Amino acid sequence: MHSRGRSKRFVASVASPSNFTYHFTRISRNAKTGPMPVTTTSANSCPPGCSLKHNGCYAESGPLALHWRAVSEGGRGGSFDELLQEISTLRRHALWRHNQAGDLTPSSPGVIDEKLLIQLALANKGRRGFTYTHYPPTPSNRSAIQRANQIGFTVNLSAETLAQADAYAALGVAPVVVLLPAGMTKAVRTPAGRHVVVCPASLGSSDCLNCGICQQRDRIAIMGFPAHGSGARHVEAIFFGGQGL
């Protein structure tokens, strides 16, 4: 993937607990997102226990993999502080997607850095940023995610099964998305009866820029992303969150 508009190369921010790299693309060329701003975070941001790592993660292959690898190796992108600066220049009410690959920045393995996430949410003030995370909703992670959503930056919890989607939704801290079983492309109910809507962009009937459902923090419906391609766990990287999904 390539950037249009402003794109810079930076060094790692001292505010980050480790050497994480962030790339900002002002106008994406991805047909699924549409021409909207998107970001990419280095692969070391992904939770170590993600079951999709080397097991169906779309961002590990294809054109996105080349871009993600360059960001992860420091060849593209830059600091968290510079990322915040770029976000703060977006027009008011702009819809943008954080982490087309990568995840939220951790403070330690498996633990979201709440301080950095809140800074990101504050930079998003007045704009419509959203993302997905594959970090487990432990008490500390739930606190960080809930605070970000309350400030106005939408963080979706990414579930891998319909049963897990029920468990995440029952927490009441954030909207939920789920990886649907292979071949499932129609609306379905979870075991507990929750409504699951299939992502319009996954079906080719819209794109993120013209949809925006995943940015709706107070939605009740769970957003579902169909598995496809080689292996039942393969899913579009531009969605879902965590390890590029």
Side-chain angles (χ1 to χ4, degrees), residues 129-133 137 145-146 148-150 152-159 164-165 167-178 194 212-223 225 240:
F130 69 99
T131 193
Y132 315 85
T133 185
I145 291 167
Q146 186 169 32
N149 277 282
Q150 290 171 342
F153 178 65
T154 306
V155 181
N156 290 266
L157 293 173
S158 297
Q164 189 177 64
Y168 284 4
L171 296 173
V173 300
V176 178
V177 300
V178 64
R194 291 182 173 86
I213 294 177
C214 288
Q215 191 275 331
Q216 298 174 9
R217 298 181 299 281
D218 58 352
R219 73 175 191 272
I220 297 176
I222 295 170
M223 183 61 65
F225 300 106
F240 201 62

Side-chain angles (χ1 to χ4, degrees), residues 15 21 34 42 46 71 127 190 205-206 235:
T21 308
S42 52
C46 294
V71 173
R127 300 161 186 88
T190 66
S205 58
S206 184
V235 65

Side-chain angles (χ1 to χ4, degrees), residues 24-57:
F24 179 86
T25 303
R26 189 163 292 272
I27 302 177
S28 173
R29 295 181 180 181
N30 191 294
K32 292 294 195 303
T33 63
M36 67 189 300
V38 300
T39 70
T40 305
T41 302
S42 52
N44 59 346
S45 64
C46 294
C50 181
S51 64
L52 296 170
K53 187 175 183 179
H54 308 310
N55 186 35
C57 174

Side-chain angles (χ1 to χ4, degrees), residues 33 40 42 45 48 57 68 85 89 91 133 135 142 160-161 168 178 194 197 199 212 217 239:
T33 63
T40 305
S42 52
S45 64
C57 174
W68 195 24
Q85 180 182 345
T89 66
R91 63 175 176 78
T133 185
Y135 275 87
R142 289 202 304 268
E160 294 185 19
T161 66
Y168 284 4
V178 64
R194 291 182 173 86
V197 178
C199 167
R217 298 181 299 281
F239 309 112

